[in-house]
Amino acid sequence: MSTLLTIHDVPVFTCAPDGDVIRGEADALDLIGNAGYQGARWVVIPAERLDEEFFRLSSRVAGDIVQKFANYGMGLVVLGDITRHTEASSALRDFVRECNRGRQTWFLADTAELRERLGDGTTTA
């Protein structure tokens, strides 16, 4: 079950690790709508909930999903170990590094890292 948490005064919609696979824009829009209805500013998706195509940049799934979150002003966190994907793709590794420099989409290892990021006062989503 997904839950709404408040971390450093930031409402965060956290998806459960088990559940339907997020395959594309339609699934992203459902999450954005649900999170927005609950007042969230960020959505946390466990990496294992994302379809494998998300991690293959040439499929455009990641770009489409990230763009939907940006269009709706909702922050996106992919949470968990994606090492096997980044080791297999330098393009994905670069994408993750660039996202993590920004303030809208982050790829983070765990909730401790999320708490640290949200606590530094640089979030805008």
Side-chain angles (χ1 to χ4, degrees), residues 24-25 28 32 45 50 54 57 60-78 95 99 104-107:
E25 290 180 73
I32 292 165
I45 302 173
L50 292 165
F54 179 90
L57 290 184
R60 301 178 59 147
V61 172
D64 292 344
I65 289 174
V66 167
Q67 188 61 51
K68 284 295 176 206
F69 276 87
N71 288 349
Y72 285 88
M74 183 81 59
L76 170 63
V77 175
V78 175
F95 178 72
C99 285
Q104 196 278 318
T105 302
W106 298 331
F107 291 81

Side-chain angles (χ1 to χ4, degrees), residues 30-51:
D30 287 345
L31 282 175
I32 292 165
N34 194 359
Y37 177 76
Q38 294 187 44
R41 289 184 29 217
W42 285 84
V43 173
V44 176
I45 302 173
E48 61 267 23
R49 290 277 306 271
L50 292 165
D51 187 84

Side-chain angles (χ1 to χ4, degrees), residues 54 57 62-63 66 89-101 105 107:
F54 179 90
L57 290 184
V66 167
S89 169
S90 62
L92 179 62
R93 197 167 39 251
D94 293 343
F95 178 72
V96 167
R97 184 174 44 250
E98 287 304 313
C99 285
N100 284 344
R101 288 181 181 164
T105 302
F107 291 81

